[in-house]
Amino acid sequence: MIECSVYFAAHHPVQIASLCLKRMGPAARFAVDITGSFDLQGFGDLDAKDILFAVRGEIDFEGIVVVPEHLTPSPLAPREVIQALEPHLDSAQLGPPEWDRFRYVLKPAAQAAPPLD
């Protein structure tokens, strides 16, 4: 499931029409193309429905974010986070889940902090 929003004073949900990611060489850098639309309400003359957008750029993959409260059942430990991800991706190239305020972050293995002894 792809979740996307445009931030303009608040998050506005986006309807994604297309999303294309292409790896750029061996590093964790990608070319991204995304198109879609969103509605804007509460901004007077700017209000509109189905505002079209297209974005093209380059991004660095910094990891996978898992927000436990967004999943049922909510993963409560790093091992449960891995189990929740396994049906969707191979976590072998990711470091261990690290707790960050309200979410777990799994960085690419090359960027992950070494385990504590």
Side-chain angles (χ1 to χ4, degrees):
M1 194 164 75
I2 299 171
E3 179 183 342
C4 185
S5 64
V6 170
Y7 187 81
F8 185 79
H11 288 277
H12 304 278
V14 164
Q15 297 298 318
I16 295 174
S18 68
L19 173 64
C20 179
L21 295 170
K22 292 184 182 176
R23 188 175 210 143
M24 300 174 63
R29 189 159 183 81
F30 292 83
V32 62
D33 288 296
I34 185 170
T35 63
S37 64
F38 65 98
D39 298 342
L40 192 62
Q41 296 178 6
F43 295 93
D45 290 342
L46 296 176
D47 289 0
K49 291 194 176 286
D50 294 322
I51 299 169
L52 300 176
F53 73 91
V55 177
R56 173 177 281 167
E58 295 179 8
I59 58 171
D60 291 317
F61 175 68
E62 295 181 357
I64 302 289
V65 173
V66 176
V67 180
E69 70 180 41
H70 292 175
L71 299 175
T72 303
S74 295
L76 301 176
R79 181 201 239 200
E80 294 174 3
V81 171
I82 296 293
Q83 290 171 339
L85 290 176
E86 294 268 317
H88 308 287
L89 58 91
D90 179 3
S91 63
Q93 299 299 314
L94 298 170
E98 298 175 22
W99 183 250
D100 177 34
R101 299 170 296 152
F102 61 93
R103 63 193 186 165
Y104 285 97
V105 178
L106 294 85
K107 296 179 182 176
Q111 296 176 10
L116 298 174
D117 292 330

